[in-house]
Amino acid sequence: MSAPLLQLDIQAKQFARRLVLDRVSLSLAAGEVVSLVGPSGCGKSTLLRIIAGLDRDYQGQAQILGEPIRLHSRHVGVVFQEPRLLPWLSVADNVGFELGRRGGRHPRVAELLADVGLADWGHAYPKQLSGGMAQRVAIARGLFTRPALLLLDEPFSAVDAFTRMRLQDVLLAAASHSQASVLLVTHDVNEAAYLSDRVLVLGRNPGRIRGEVRVDWPHPRQRGDARLARAEAEILALLDDREDAPQPPPQAAPWPASLARLRLAV
Amino acid sequence: MADIDQHAARPLTAAWAKRAQGWLLPLAVLLIWETVVAQQWVSAHLLPPPSELAHTLLELTRSGALLAHIGVSVARVLAGFAIGAALAVALGAAVGLSPRVEALIDPSFQALRAIPSLAWVPLLLLWLGIDEAPKLTLIAIGAFFPVYLNLVAGIHNVDRKWVEVGRVHGLRTGALIGRVFLPAALPHVLTGLRGGLSLAWMFLVAAELMAATRGLGYLLTDGRETGRADLVLVAIGVLAVLGALSDSLLRLLETRWLAWRDVALTQEAQP
Ligand SMILES: Nc1ncnc2c1ncn2[C@@H]1O[C@H](COP(=O)(O)OP(=O)(O)O)[C@@H](O)[C@H]1O
Ligand SMILES: [Mg+2]
């Protein structure tokens, strides 16, 4: 069997002697869409930063396509929580940032902008974009180098619900068009179930993987699908923090999606 | 139809009316000035009337003396400003980007900044004599600090998140400076350049007042020594126009280079 796309075995990750990640292992196969969900502060962003090569101060092993992880791996693209477009560059030059000053002229830029529905916006400055549009540009920039793995850290948390749904579909389409696998951090259980083939649930203090929920039927999916609701309920059950809870919530009963999001926000 | 025309016309006339308002006060002052002197309430020797100033200006222009003085002064400002600003950009970038360089030299510059720059004049004259060198040095000192301080502040204010974007895209120190730090600090740099240029003009006058045989500052001294207030006033007026012109040049650069900025109050580019 060939090496998995991503193989991560973190023994420990500490910030100033505080254990943030404790024995976190995960692997990703090519073509997969995997979500990480967990309460805030459980170390999701830290995990992504390790995979992106931005944080090397941890104990453990991490490999992408058999190579040790390093910053600016050609196999990895990154989309941050905020779009982080450079305001002095045009949209096109932001997408082609990797190539240098005139990166916006590369034909791949036009292709990607079309993929995210912004074909006519290459010459605009970031200040002219709405939040959702800026995040589309950020996705295009993340995919510019044709990475095997696209990392996203709560990419849609700042946009309204309708924009979020559209962006989710844009992400799936653009990533599959670029043949990139996706590892996405989110706190939206609904989003995790809708997008992913697998959802990993992280617990907190210290961050540990509590379990995994498979959502194994192909896209396109119906947002109202009862199977999605069941997956959401499973994720929520794993998320439930109370160690001394008298009974685990009934897993069979599918929760309405809106209720599911409410629970997590508490 | 008429309604639409009115709407289109109103802002334009309003803008003209506003501009015209700005001229009311200066015109009134000129008028009063002229009458006050004509009625001999004030001696024309101390306060030459505007008509006489216009005459002096014409004379100086016709003889070519004014243009020569302007040329000398502008050359000095440009040279001194260029030296000061270039040094400030180099040192400011080093201090802003490297904590070690900052610890080494920033305290000294902060201390030097506390000296009112004109206090350097006697020392400069002593060390460098009375020719061009001390004048350029003084102007350069004046231009240096605004540029230096703004650039350091600008670099310190660069968002860590942009730096992370650069690193994720493989930028090492040199490229990171060129493609993230400097563009991000550019608005601060331009503010600094404008401040530096206006101080350069101020220090030009100081330098030329003290020891010069040519230049607009010399015209001021000459006017005072020969008791010709009209020369002094004309020189002041020319200095004002030159200062405003050079500042509006930098403002033009600002609007062109910083079109990307998302600020609440953008100055509309007037054709
Ligand atoms: N640079 C840092 N220095 C110190 N502590 C940090 C740093 N970054 C994150 N932490 C801590 O590590 C924990 C996990 O943070 P993070 O990975 O951002 O959580 P999440 O993204 O899941 O909300 C938090 O308790 C946070 O306070
Ligand atoms: Mg986070």
Side-chain angles (χ1 to χ4, degrees), chain A residues 158-248:
Chain A
V159 298
D160 64 86
F162 291 107
T163 309
R164 185 178 315 161
M165 286 195 268
R166 253 182 297 149
L167 285 177
Q168 288 164 356
D169 292 326
V170 163
L171 168 65
L172 283 178
S176 83
H177 192 205
S178 294
Q179 294 177 315
S181 303
V182 173
L183 180 59
L184 168 103
V185 166
T186 174
H187 55 221
D188 183 343
V189 172
N190 194 243
E191 173 169 281
Y194 176 72
L195 288 177
S196 318
D197 303 314
R198 278 190 298 143
V199 179
L200 297 172
V201 179
L202 250 70
R204 147 168 77 176
N205 290 331
R208 270 195 200 120
I209 292 187
R210 291 182 153 220
E212 175 184 305
V213 174
R214 291 190 164 273
V215 192
D216 43 11
W217 68 95
H219 288 270
R221 296 173 180 169
Q222 293 311 119
R223 288 188 188 268
D225 197 319
R227 290 175 294 180
L228 276 185
R230 268 199 298 282
E232 283 165 29
E234 263 183 78
I235 298 166
L236 281 170
L238 283 169
L239 270 170
D240 198 336
D241 247 336
R242 291 166 298 169
E243 303 286 16
D244 56 351
Q247 273 174 346

Side-chain angles (χ1 to χ4, degrees), chain A residues 44-45 81 153-154:
Chain A
K44 305 181 296 291
S45 298
Q81 184 164 0
D153 190 355
E154 302 191 11

Side-chain angles (χ1 to χ4, degrees), chain A residues 53-75:
Chain A
L54 282 166
D55 192 336
R56 307 174 62 160
D57 179 23
Y58 62 92
Q59 289 122 54
Q61 300 255 320
Q63 293 189 321
I64 288 181
L65 289 171
E67 298 173 9
I69 277 177
R70 56 191 170 80
L71 188 59
H72 190 226
S73 157
R74 70 199 151 92
H75 304 309

Side-chain angles (χ1 to χ4, degrees), chain A residues 49 52-54 71-72 78 80 82 84-89 96-101 125 127 141, chain B residues 160-162 164-171 178-181 183-184 258-263 266:
Chain A
R49 292 173 56 82
L54 282 166
L71 188 59
H72 190 226
V78 182
F80 297 96
E82 330 75 25
R84 297 200 191 182
L85 304 181
L86 302 176
W88 54 88
L89 296 179
F97 185 75
E98 177 84 21
L99 280 189
R101 289 187 194 284
Y125 279 118
K127 69 173 176 181
R141 179 175 64 186
Chain B
R160 182 186 58 83
K161 291 173 175 170
W162 290 339
E164 233 167 53
V165 170
R167 291 180 56 216
V168 159
H169 286 275
L171 300 191
R179 294 185 58 200
V180 177
F181 279 101
L258 304 181
W260 50 269
R261 255 192 327 177
D262 194 7
V263 287
T266 26

